[in-house]
Amino acid sequence: MKLADWAPIIVAGVTIVGGVFQARRKRPMTREIVKQDVELLGLLPEDSEAKELLAKHIDATVRKIVEDEDQRTREYAGSCLAIGFLAVSVFLLASCVARGGAWWWLAAPAVFIGLLGATGLGQDAVPRRRDARGRPL
C-alpha cells in the first residue's frame, strides 16, 4: 500500500485533531467565568440567598486562582521532545505500512516510541505546580 493511499486518512485525522483543539480552546477560562459571576452578583437582589452563596463561590474561586493556578506551568522542552517522539512513531508506522514485507519489524519500535511520546506529553503538557528544575510537585 502506498503512502498516497493513506493521504485521505491522514487529512481526515488532522482535521479531527484540529477540530478537537479548536473546541477545547473555545471554553471560557476560569478568570472569565469569575468575571461573569461578578457581573451576575451585581444583578441579584440584595436580600437574595443566592447572592450570598454566589459571593462565597466567587471568593473561593479567586482564592484558588491566586494560590494554585498562577503557579502551574507546562514543561515546554519535554512537550516538544514528546511531540518529536510521536512524529517519529507515526513516520515508522507509515513506513512499515507503505513498504510491507520485512519492514513490519518497524512496528515494534514505533509502538514503543509512541508510548514514550504519549506518556511524556501527558506529563509535560499538562499545567502543574513544578519546582525550580521543572519537576512536578
Side-chain angles (χ1 to χ4, degrees), residues 3 13 15 17 24-25 34 63 78 91 123 132:
L3 192 58
T15 304
V17 169
R24 289 192 68 203
R25 202 175 117 204
V34 170
R63 186 173 291 120
F91 174 75
Q123 287 181 344

Side-chain angles (χ1 to χ4, degrees), residues 48-83:
S48 172
E49 292 179 22
K51 186 167 187 164
E52 182 180 327
L53 184 64
L54 185 58
K56 287 180 182 178
H57 173 71
I58 292 169
D59 186 50
T61 305
V62 169
R63 186 173 291 120
K64 180 182 175 192
I65 289 171
V66 171
E67 292 174 355
D68 186 44
E69 289 185 5
D70 287 344
Q71 297 176 2
R72 297 186 322 173
T73 60
R74 290 181 170 90
E75 182 64 34
Y76 292 108
S79 297
C80 291
L81 183 64
I83 290 171

Side-chain angles (χ1 to χ4, degrees), residues 6-122:
W6 285 89
I9 297 170
I10 293 170
V11 169
V14 169
T15 304
I16 291 171
V17 169
V20 168
F21 279 120
Q22 191 69 12
R24 289 192 68 203
R25 202 175 117 204
K26 297 244 182 201
R27 284 191 303 188
M29 302 301 290
T30 306
R31 294 177 190 263
E32 294 171 3
I33 293 171
V34 170
K35 186 177 177 182
Q36 291 172 355
D37 287 347
V38 169
E39 291 172 0
L40 180 62
L41 185 67
L43 297 174
L44 291 174
E46 290 296 325
D47 58 348
S48 172
E49 292 179 22
K51 186 167 187 164
E52 182 180 327
L53 184 64
L54 185 58
K56 287 180 182 178
H57 173 71
I58 292 169
D59 186 50
T61 305
V62 169
R63 186 173 291 120
K64 180 182 175 192
I65 289 171
V66 171
E67 292 174 355
D68 186 44
E69 289 185 5
D70 287 344
Q71 297 176 2
R72 297 186 322 173
T73 60
R74 290 181 170 90
E75 182 64 34
Y76 292 108
S79 297
C80 291
L81 183 64
I83 290 171
F85 276 20
L86 290 172
V88 168
S89 175
V90 168
F91 174 75
L92 290 175
L93 283 173
S95 295
C96 75
V97 168
R99 296 183 183 188
W103 287 92
W104 281 104
W105 64 270
L106 284 176
V111 168
F112 180 71
I113 292 170
L115 288 174
L116 288 177
T119 303
L121 195 62

